[in-house]
Amino acid sequence: MAVSISPFNISTRQKRIDMKNILNIILVYTLLLVVGCNKDPLDIMPDGRLTLEQVFADELMASEYVNTMYDNINPYGSSYNYYTLLAGFSDEAHDNDFPQDMQRAPSRWYNGELRPNWNPLDIQFSTNTTDPETNGNYYRKNWAGIRQANVFLQRIGDTPYSNSQTKARLIAEVKVLRAFFYLELIKMFGGMPVVDKPFDSDFKFEVLPRQSFREGVALIQRDCEEAIAESALPYRITAEPERGRFTRAVAHAVRSQALLYAASPLWNEADDQALWEAAAEAGKSALDDLLANNYHLFPDYESYFYGRTDLSVNPADRETIFEIKPHRAHEFSHLIFRMHAIPSIGGDKAGASPSQELVDAYDMANGQPAILGYYDEDHLYPIINTGSGYNESNPYANRDPRFYATVWYNNAYYGEVNGQPYHIQSYLGGADGISNIMQRTSNGYYLRKFRDPKQLDPNTGTARFKKYRLGELYLNYAEAANEAYGPTKDVYDALNAVRDRVDMPGLPEDLTKEEMRERIRRERRVELAFEEHRFWDVRRWKILGSTDKLTTGMEWTEVGPSFTGKRIVTGRRKSHTDNHLILPIPFGELALMPLWKQNPGWD
């Protein structure tokens, strides 16, 4: 009987024998694309290192080659410089490193220090270092992943496999990996060369042209659709040794996000409706396919973010599509506990605190928006929806349940600490009150999402960062379908499915396309808060200049048995100009490509 060999379940002995040689060959060979070398490094192998021919002559080693591609996936989550979150680089949070430590990445981002030779989001590249525990080297790592995928797909055809289904699965899996790396690359740096096969040893990299964002998305779409059509690629992982592998569900998620971005204003200046229709079609296909294959929204929004996915044919968590396996000893939950902490309950720093702007985005429990905008540029005078029931003196009452699952606010009940009930004391002078030290909030809020209040030890949490989940796909589809066809029943159904999960009322039935667009953007903001969407959403919508100039907070003062509050500006930023819509290509990489132009505004 043929035995299926999982590339995530190769014997320990075989790994010891092959891993070092395989890593040697991969590290050397991928330098071709990264540094533009014209000489094939495989020509200099008289010292016993494996050649690619040897690697792909053996199914175990060919499968192990796939494993190494996953090393190019960044850890995301709380893994930006000094274990912060991407949210702190957007308007959904204020990072409390600012202004206490002006050398940390958020402070340098707020100060407008992004340059082609210095990127606060990519300290590794800026300092020429490598750290698998933090995010960085985006340009090189994504290109390395693409390079490895191209080598694999070119050579795997001749590799003998005892089980043809295993081989078919790996081919489909690598196509999804290549699509993933391309998407992460182009949404950060814009259009790149579309490369779907290895370069010859004498290829002249200096003549390689850039291609458009849309051309990159075409490759992503093709790879994902071929993977979706491959029955050997499973819809979900069901066994622990395979945790972290890509699936057909991931292919749907990558395709959905890529087509949505391609249709958005940043990359679709002419508002080509065909692009919105393609994104809507992909979104509908993803939802239909995943719902038919046992994917569903997790019933409890709050607790969903506390743990990792359970692996089985019929898991309790049927929403998660892909979560990040840590590259480090500490789990995501450990870093959330320590680096985005409430000072009276332990931790190293306050980290990323939800902004007042995010708080204002949550509807009232009756389904009506509470805050419609601001009268002033400093966001200190909100436009209150007078019919919503919002009360400035008691602003946290009767809000969307997702607010309570995401934000710790003044006097919020935390739970029991050392056997005693505890309420957050973020008022002036309180145990958690505003202060100009990194361990305290600067804006009166703390992050609740991802952390179970019952967790009182950093080492007991199990949460992992969820890169893709079904909730996003509902919102991707709703946005694309509304832009393509207007606020149809399908658009309402997709949005209301997400709202129903938290017992929020359905949206009003008479919304115009423009009104629905605003509600969809608000829904994305609250449903996906702190999940690395807002940073990219405001860019693809081209609204960065109106969202990222500053963030505000609420300063509470204890007056007898109650509190009075006032809105305060907590951080002004210089990283909101149009050149920040697309990040600059690192100067050292651009110097190797004389035909390329730097991204707009970074010359």
Short mmCIF file of all heavy atoms in Angstrom, two decimals, residues 356 359-360 364 370-376 379-399 409-410 445 553-557 562-568:
data_model
loop_
_atom_site.label_atom_id
_atom_site.label_comp_id
_atom_site.label_asym_id
_atom_site.label_seq_id
_atom_site.Cartn_x
_atom_site.Cartn_y
_atom_site.Cartn_z
N GLN A 356 -9.62 56.86 20.17
CA GLN A 356 -10.99 57.37 20.31
C GLN A 356 -11.73 57.26 18.99
O GLN A 356 -12.94 57.01 18.95
CB GLN A 356 -10.96 58.83 20.77
CG GLN A 356 -12.33 59.41 21.06
CD GLN A 356 -13.01 58.73 22.23
OE1 GLN A 356 -12.42 58.57 23.29
NE2 GLN A 356 -14.26 58.30 22.05
N VAL A 359 -13.11 53.85 18.87
CA VAL A 359 -14.24 53.78 19.81
C VAL A 359 -15.48 54.43 19.20
O VAL A 359 -16.59 53.90 19.28
CB VAL A 359 -13.86 54.46 21.14
CG1 VAL A 359 -15.08 54.60 22.06
CG2 VAL A 359 -12.76 53.66 21.85
N ASP A 360 -15.29 55.57 18.55
CA ASP A 360 -16.42 56.29 17.95
C ASP A 360 -17.05 55.54 16.79
O ASP A 360 -18.20 55.81 16.42
CB ASP A 360 -15.96 57.67 17.46
CG ASP A 360 -15.63 58.62 18.59
OD1 ASP A 360 -16.05 58.35 19.74
OD2 ASP A 360 -14.94 59.63 18.33
N MET A 364 -24.29 52.04 18.27
CA MET A 364 -25.05 51.75 19.48
C MET A 364 -25.66 50.34 19.33
O MET A 364 -25.76 49.80 18.22
CB MET A 364 -26.15 52.79 19.68
CG MET A 364 -25.65 54.21 19.81
SD MET A 364 -24.53 54.46 21.21
CE MET A 364 -25.67 54.29 22.60
N ALA A 370 -23.24 55.99 16.45
CA ALA A 370 -23.24 56.95 17.55
C ALA A 370 -22.64 58.29 17.14
O ALA A 370 -23.20 59.35 17.40
CB ALA A 370 -22.47 56.37 18.74
N ILE A 371 -21.49 58.22 16.47
CA ILE A 371 -20.75 59.41 16.05
C ILE A 371 -20.67 59.42 14.53
O ILE A 371 -20.23 58.44 13.91
CB ILE A 371 -19.33 59.43 16.65
CG1 ILE A 371 -19.38 59.30 18.18
CG2 ILE A 371 -18.58 60.69 16.22
CD1 ILE A 371 -20.11 60.42 18.88
N LEU A 372 -21.05 60.52 13.92
CA LEU A 372 -21.12 60.61 12.46
C LEU A 372 -19.89 61.26 11.85
O LEU A 372 -19.72 61.24 10.63
CB LEU A 372 -22.38 61.39 12.05
CG LEU A 372 -23.70 60.81 12.55
CD1 LEU A 372 -24.86 61.72 12.15
CD2 LEU A 372 -23.92 59.40 12.02
N GLY A 373 -19.06 61.85 12.66
CA GLY A 373 -17.87 62.55 12.19
C GLY A 373 -17.45 63.57 13.22
O GLY A 373 -17.80 63.46 14.40
N TYR A 374 -16.73 64.61 12.77
CA TYR A 374 -16.21 65.62 13.70
C TYR A 374 -16.38 67.01 13.08
O TYR A 374 -16.25 67.20 11.87
CB TYR A 374 -14.73 65.35 14.00
CG TYR A 374 -14.50 63.95 14.51
CD1 TYR A 374 -14.14 62.92 13.65
CD2 TYR A 374 -14.70 63.65 15.85
CE1 TYR A 374 -13.97 61.62 14.10
CE2 TYR A 374 -14.53 62.35 16.33
CZ TYR A 374 -14.17 61.34 15.44
OH TYR A 374 -14.02 60.06 15.89
N TYR A 375 -16.66 67.97 13.94
CA TYR A 375 -16.79 69.35 13.49
C TYR A 375 -15.43 69.99 13.25
O TYR A 375 -15.34 70.97 12.50
CB TYR A 375 -17.54 70.17 14.55
CG TYR A 375 -19.02 69.84 14.64
CD1 TYR A 375 -19.52 69.16 15.74
CD2 TYR A 375 -19.91 70.23 13.64
CE1 TYR A 375 -20.87 68.87 15.85
CE2 TYR A 375 -21.27 69.93 13.74
CZ TYR A 375 -21.75 69.26 14.85
OH TYR A 375 -23.08 68.96 14.95
N ASP A 376 -14.39 69.46 13.89
CA ASP A 376 -13.08 70.10 13.83
C ASP A 376 -12.02 69.11 13.38
O ASP A 376 -12.20 67.90 13.46
CB ASP A 376 -12.70 70.64 15.21
CG ASP A 376 -12.54 69.53 16.23
OD1 ASP A 376 -13.40 68.62 16.26
OD2 ASP A 376 -11.53 69.52 16.96
N HIS A 379 -10.70 66.47 15.97
CA HIS A 379 -11.62 65.42 16.42
C HIS A 379 -12.02 65.58 17.89
O HIS A 379 -12.34 64.60 18.56
CB HIS A 379 -10.99 64.03 16.22
CG HIS A 379 -10.68 63.69 14.81
ND1 HIS A 379 -10.10 62.50 14.43
CD2 HIS A 379 -10.85 64.39 13.66
CE1 HIS A 379 -9.93 62.48 13.12
NE2 HIS A 379 -10.38 63.62 12.63
N LEU A 380 -12.02 66.80 18.37
CA LEU A 380 -12.39 67.05 19.77
C LEU A 380 -13.88 67.36 19.94
O LEU A 380 -14.40 67.34 21.06
CB LEU A 380 -11.55 68.19 20.34
CG LEU A 380 -10.03 67.96 20.34
CD1 LEU A 380 -9.31 69.18 20.92
CD2 LEU A 380 -9.67 66.70 21.11
N TYR A 381 -14.55 67.64 18.82
CA TYR A 381 -15.97 67.98 18.86
C TYR A 381 -16.73 67.05 17.91
O TYR A 381 -16.85 67.31 16.72
CB TYR A 381 -16.18 69.44 18.48
CG TYR A 381 -15.46 70.39 19.42
CD1 TYR A 381 -14.20 70.88 19.11
CD2 TYR A 381 -16.04 70.74 20.63
CE1 TYR A 381 -13.53 71.72 19.99
CE2 TYR A 381 -15.37 71.59 21.52
CZ TYR A 381 -14.12 72.07 21.18
OH TYR A 381 -13.45 72.89 22.06
N PRO A 382 -17.23 65.95 18.44
CA PRO A 382 -17.88 64.95 17.59
C PRO A 382 -19.26 65.37 17.11
O PRO A 382 -19.97 66.13 17.80
CB PRO A 382 -17.98 63.73 18.52
CG PRO A 382 -18.07 64.32 19.89
CD PRO A 382 -17.20 65.54 19.86
N ILE A 383 -19.62 64.89 15.94
CA ILE A 383 -20.98 65.07 15.42
C ILE A 383 -21.80 63.89 15.93
O ILE A 383 -21.66 62.76 15.46
CB ILE A 383 -20.99 65.12 13.89
CG1 ILE A 383 -20.09 66.25 13.38
CG2 ILE A 383 -22.42 65.30 13.38
CD1 ILE A 383 -19.87 66.23 11.87
N ILE A 384 -22.64 64.14 16.90
CA ILE A 384 -23.38 63.07 17.56
C ILE A 384 -24.68 62.79 16.82
O ILE A 384 -25.41 63.72 16.44
CB ILE A 384 -23.68 63.45 19.03
CG1 ILE A 384 -22.36 63.61 19.79
CG2 ILE A 384 -24.57 62.41 19.71
CD1 ILE A 384 -22.53 64.18 21.18
N ASN A 385 -24.96 61.54 16.59
CA ASN A 385 -26.24 61.12 16.02
C ASN A 385 -27.28 61.20 17.13
O ASN A 385 -27.38 60.31 17.98
CB ASN A 385 -26.13 59.70 15.48
CG ASN A 385 -27.41 59.20 14.86
OD1 ASN A 385 -28.39 59.93 14.75
ND2 ASN A 385 -27.41 57.94 14.44
N THR A 386 -28.02 62.30 17.15
CA THR A 386 -28.90 62.59 18.29
C THR A 386 -30.01 61.56 18.47
O THR A 386 -30.54 61.42 19.57
CB THR A 386 -29.51 63.99 18.15
OG1 THR A 386 -30.18 64.08 16.87
CG2 THR A 386 -28.43 65.07 18.22
N GLY A 387 -30.35 60.86 17.42
CA GLY A 387 -31.41 59.86 17.54
C GLY A 387 -30.92 58.48 17.92
O GLY A 387 -31.71 57.52 18.02
N SER A 388 -29.60 58.35 18.18
CA SER A 388 -29.03 57.02 18.43
C SER A 388 -29.12 56.57 19.87
O SER A 388 -29.00 55.39 20.17
CB SER A 388 -27.55 57.01 18.01
OG SER A 388 -26.78 57.84 18.87
N GLY A 389 -29.28 57.54 20.79
CA GLY A 389 -29.26 57.21 22.21
C GLY A 389 -27.90 57.38 22.84
O GLY A 389 -27.72 57.08 24.03
N TYR A 390 -26.92 57.89 22.09
CA TYR A 390 -25.58 58.10 22.62
C TYR A 390 -25.60 59.21 23.66
O TYR A 390 -26.21 60.26 23.46
CB TYR A 390 -24.63 58.47 21.49
CG TYR A 390 -23.21 58.79 21.91
CD1 TYR A 390 -22.31 57.77 22.18
CD2 TYR A 390 -22.79 60.11 22.04
CE1 TYR A 390 -21.00 58.06 22.55
CE2 TYR A 390 -21.48 60.41 22.40
CZ TYR A 390 -20.59 59.38 22.66
OH TYR A 390 -19.31 59.67 23.04
N ASN A 391 -24.90 58.98 24.79
CA ASN A 391 -24.86 59.93 25.89
C ASN A 391 -23.41 60.29 26.17
O ASN A 391 -22.62 59.43 26.58
CB ASN A 391 -25.52 59.32 27.14
CG ASN A 391 -25.55 60.26 28.33
OD1 ASN A 391 -24.96 61.34 28.30
ND2 ASN A 391 -26.24 59.85 29.37
N GLU A 392 -23.04 61.55 25.95
CA GLU A 392 -21.64 61.97 26.15
C GLU A 392 -21.17 61.74 27.57
O GLU A 392 -19.98 61.51 27.81
CB GLU A 392 -21.49 63.44 25.79
CG GLU A 392 -21.30 63.72 24.32
CD GLU A 392 -20.83 65.13 24.06
OE1 GLU A 392 -21.66 66.06 24.17
OE2 GLU A 392 -19.63 65.33 23.74
N SER A 393 -22.08 61.80 28.52
CA SER A 393 -21.69 61.60 29.92
C SER A 393 -21.48 60.12 30.25
O SER A 393 -20.83 59.80 31.24
CB SER A 393 -22.76 62.20 30.85
OG SER A 393 -22.89 63.58 30.63
N ASN A 394 -22.05 59.26 29.43
CA ASN A 394 -21.93 57.81 29.64
C ASN A 394 -21.73 57.14 28.29
O ASN A 394 -22.56 56.38 27.81
CB ASN A 394 -23.20 57.29 30.33
CG ASN A 394 -23.04 55.86 30.82
OD1 ASN A 394 -21.92 55.33 30.91
ND2 ASN A 394 -24.15 55.21 31.13
N PRO A 395 -20.59 57.45 27.64
CA PRO A 395 -20.43 57.08 26.22
C PRO A 395 -20.25 55.60 25.96
O PRO A 395 -20.35 55.18 24.80
CB PRO A 395 -19.18 57.86 25.81
CG PRO A 395 -18.39 57.98 27.08
CD PRO A 395 -19.41 58.16 28.16
N TYR A 396 -19.97 54.80 26.98
CA TYR A 396 -19.68 53.40 26.75
C TYR A 396 -20.88 52.49 27.00
O TYR A 396 -20.76 51.27 26.91
CB TYR A 396 -18.51 52.96 27.65
CG TYR A 396 -17.33 53.90 27.57
CD1 TYR A 396 -16.73 54.40 28.72
CD2 TYR A 396 -16.82 54.31 26.33
CE1 TYR A 396 -15.65 55.27 28.65
CE2 TYR A 396 -15.75 55.19 26.26
CZ TYR A 396 -15.17 55.66 27.42
OH TYR A 396 -14.11 56.53 27.34
N ALA A 397 -22.02 53.09 27.28
CA ALA A 397 -23.22 52.30 27.56
C ALA A 397 -23.94 51.94 26.26
O ALA A 397 -24.00 52.72 25.32
CB ALA A 397 -24.17 53.09 28.47
N ASN A 398 -24.44 50.72 26.21
CA ASN A 398 -25.31 50.26 25.12
C ASN A 398 -24.64 50.35 23.75
O ASN A 398 -25.23 50.85 22.79
CB ASN A 398 -26.63 51.05 25.11
CG ASN A 398 -27.35 50.97 26.43
OD1 ASN A 398 -27.48 49.89 27.01
ND2 ASN A 398 -27.84 52.10 26.93
N ARG A 399 -23.43 49.85 23.67
CA ARG A 399 -22.70 49.86 22.40
C ARG A 399 -22.67 48.46 21.78
O ARG A 399 -23.02 47.45 22.42
CB ARG A 399 -21.26 50.37 22.60
CG ARG A 399 -21.15 51.74 23.24
CD ARG A 399 -21.74 52.85 22.37
NE ARG A 399 -20.98 53.15 21.18
CZ ARG A 399 -19.98 54.03 21.13
NH1 ARG A 399 -19.61 54.70 22.21
NH2 ARG A 399 -19.36 54.26 19.98
N TYR A 409 -11.99 50.30 28.79
CA TYR A 409 -12.23 51.72 28.98
C TYR A 409 -12.35 52.01 30.48
O TYR A 409 -12.44 51.09 31.30
CB TYR A 409 -13.51 52.15 28.26
CG TYR A 409 -14.72 51.30 28.64
CD1 TYR A 409 -15.57 51.68 29.68
CD2 TYR A 409 -14.99 50.11 27.96
CE1 TYR A 409 -16.67 50.90 30.03
CE2 TYR A 409 -16.07 49.33 28.31
CZ TYR A 409 -16.91 49.72 29.35
OH TYR A 409 -17.98 48.94 29.70
N ASN A 410 -12.37 53.25 30.84
CA ASN A 410 -12.40 53.61 32.25
C ASN A 410 -13.63 53.02 32.95
O ASN A 410 -14.76 53.13 32.47
CB ASN A 410 -12.42 55.13 32.41
CG ASN A 410 -12.38 55.55 33.87
OD1 ASN A 410 -11.48 55.15 34.61
ND2 ASN A 410 -13.37 56.33 34.30
N TYR A 445 -7.40 54.31 27.12
CA TYR A 445 -7.90 52.99 26.73
C TYR A 445 -6.78 51.95 26.75
O TYR A 445 -5.59 52.29 26.65
CB TYR A 445 -8.51 53.04 25.32
CG TYR A 445 -9.68 53.99 25.20
CD1 TYR A 445 -9.54 55.21 24.54
CD2 TYR A 445 -10.92 53.67 25.75
CE1 TYR A 445 -10.61 56.09 24.43
CE2 TYR A 445 -12.00 54.55 25.64
CZ TYR A 445 -11.83 55.75 24.99
OH TYR A 445 -12.89 56.61 24.89
N GLY A 553 -8.00 60.64 22.39
CA GLY A 553 -8.39 59.77 23.48
C GLY A 553 -9.36 60.47 24.40
O GLY A 553 -9.88 61.55 24.08
N MET A 554 -9.59 59.86 25.57
CA MET A 554 -10.51 60.43 26.55
C MET A 554 -9.81 60.50 27.90
O MET A 554 -9.31 59.48 28.41
CB MET A 554 -11.76 59.57 26.65
CG MET A 554 -12.86 60.19 27.50
SD MET A 554 -13.70 61.59 26.71
CE MET A 554 -14.78 60.70 25.55
N GLU A 555 -9.76 61.69 28.44
CA GLU A 555 -9.15 61.91 29.75
C GLU A 555 -10.26 62.03 30.79
O GLU A 555 -11.06 62.96 30.75
CB GLU A 555 -8.30 63.18 29.72
CG GLU A 555 -7.61 63.50 31.03
CD GLU A 555 -6.84 64.80 30.95
OE1 GLU A 555 -5.68 64.76 30.51
OE2 GLU A 555 -7.42 65.87 31.28
N TRP A 556 -10.28 61.07 31.73
CA TRP A 556 -11.33 61.04 32.75
C TRP A 556 -10.79 61.55 34.08
O TRP A 556 -9.66 61.26 34.46
CB TRP A 556 -11.86 59.62 32.93
CG TRP A 556 -12.65 59.13 31.75
CD1 TRP A 556 -12.21 58.33 30.74
CD2 TRP A 556 -14.01 59.43 31.46
NE1 TRP A 556 -13.22 58.12 29.82
CE2 TRP A 556 -14.34 58.79 30.25
CE3 TRP A 556 -14.99 60.20 32.11
CZ2 TRP A 556 -15.60 58.87 29.68
CZ3 TRP A 556 -16.26 60.28 31.53
CH2 TRP A 556 -16.55 59.62 30.33
N THR A 557 -11.63 62.31 34.77
CA THR A 557 -11.30 62.83 36.09
C THR A 557 -12.35 62.34 37.08
O THR A 557 -13.56 62.42 36.81
CB THR A 557 -11.28 64.37 36.10
OG1 THR A 557 -10.31 64.83 35.15
CG2 THR A 557 -10.92 64.90 37.48
N SER A 562 -18.47 59.60 40.59
CA SER A 562 -18.58 59.52 39.13
C SER A 562 -17.35 60.11 38.46
O SER A 562 -16.37 60.45 39.12
CB SER A 562 -19.85 60.24 38.67
OG SER A 562 -19.80 61.60 39.04
N PHE A 563 -17.42 60.25 37.15
CA PHE A 563 -16.28 60.73 36.38
C PHE A 563 -16.75 61.76 35.35
O PHE A 563 -17.87 61.68 34.84
CB PHE A 563 -15.59 59.58 35.65
CG PHE A 563 -15.11 58.48 36.54
CD1 PHE A 563 -15.92 57.38 36.79
CD2 PHE A 563 -13.86 58.53 37.13
CE1 PHE A 563 -15.48 56.35 37.61
CE2 PHE A 563 -13.42 57.52 37.95
CZ PHE A 563 -14.23 56.42 38.20
N THR A 564 -15.89 62.69 35.06
CA THR A 564 -16.13 63.60 33.93
C THR A 564 -14.98 63.42 32.95
O THR A 564 -13.83 63.25 33.34
CB THR A 564 -16.19 65.07 34.39
OG1 THR A 564 -14.95 65.43 35.00
CG2 THR A 564 -17.33 65.28 35.38
N GLY A 565 -15.30 63.49 31.67
CA GLY A 565 -14.29 63.23 30.66
C GLY A 565 -14.18 64.33 29.63
O GLY A 565 -15.15 65.06 29.37
N LYS A 566 -13.00 64.44 29.03
CA LYS A 566 -12.82 65.36 27.92
C LYS A 566 -11.93 64.70 26.88
O LYS A 566 -11.04 63.91 27.21
CB LYS A 566 -12.22 66.68 28.38
CG LYS A 566 -10.78 66.59 28.87
CD LYS A 566 -10.21 67.97 29.18
CE LYS A 566 -8.75 67.88 29.60
NZ LYS A 566 -8.18 69.22 29.88
N ARG A 567 -12.19 65.03 25.65
CA ARG A 567 -11.39 64.48 24.55
C ARG A 567 -10.05 65.20 24.46
O ARG A 567 -9.98 66.41 24.65
CB ARG A 567 -12.16 64.59 23.23
CG ARG A 567 -13.37 63.66 23.18
CD ARG A 567 -14.22 63.88 21.95
NE ARG A 567 -15.36 62.98 21.95
CZ ARG A 567 -15.53 61.95 21.12
NH1 ARG A 567 -14.60 61.69 20.19
NH2 ARG A 567 -16.59 61.19 21.20
N ILE A 568 -9.00 64.43 24.16
CA ILE A 568 -7.64 64.99 24.08
C ILE A 568 -6.95 64.45 22.83
O ILE A 568 -7.22 63.33 22.38
CB ILE A 568 -6.80 64.64 25.32
CG1 ILE A 568 -6.74 63.11 25.51
CG2 ILE A 568 -7.36 65.33 26.56
CD1 ILE A 568 -5.78 62.66 26.61
#
